[in-house]
Amino acid sequence: MVEQGVIERVLGAALRTGGEFAEVFAEDRRGTAAVLDDGRVENLASGRERGAGIRVVAGDTTGFAHTSDLSEEGLRAAAAAAAAAAQRGGGGVR
C-alpha cells in the first residue's frame, strides 16, 4: 500500500521538526454488503476506505493529522501539520 521507504522519509521529516515520537497508521479497505429479504437482494452497496493518520509527540503535546492522499507528498503534508500542532506546545492533543 505505502512503500517502506516513503514511510521512513515521512517519519524522518516529522521527527526533524522537533518531534520526539512519530507514527503512521495507513488503511486501504474495500467492502461489500448485501441486504436480503426472502432470498431477494434488496440493497447492494460497496465502498472503499483509504487514508492515513499521522501522530507526532513533542514534550507533553500530541499533534494528529489525517489524509486520504497516500502519495509521499500527501503524507508529508499531513506529517508537517501534525508536527506543527505538536510544536505549539501547551500539553494535550491537537
Side-chain angles (χ1 to χ4, degrees), residues 19 55-64 80-92 94:
R55 181 169 65 130
V56 178
V57 178
D60 293 335
T61 307
T62 299
F64 181 81
Q87 287 303 309
R88 282 193 282 255
R94 297 179 181 274

Side-chain angles (χ1 to χ4, degrees), residues 34-93:
V35 177
L36 301 175
D37 187 15
D38 289 329
R40 293 183 43 194
V41 176
E42 292 292 324
N43 188 15
L44 183 63
S46 65
R48 181 177 186 186
E49 296 178 22
R50 177 184 167 128
I54 300 178
R55 181 169 65 130
V56 178
V57 178
D60 293 335
T61 307
T62 299
F64 181 81
H66 179 268
T67 182
S68 59
D69 181 356
L70 296 182
S71 71
E72 185 165 351
E73 296 78 23
L75 292 170
R76 281 182 177 266
Q87 287 303 309
R88 282 193 282 255
V93 176

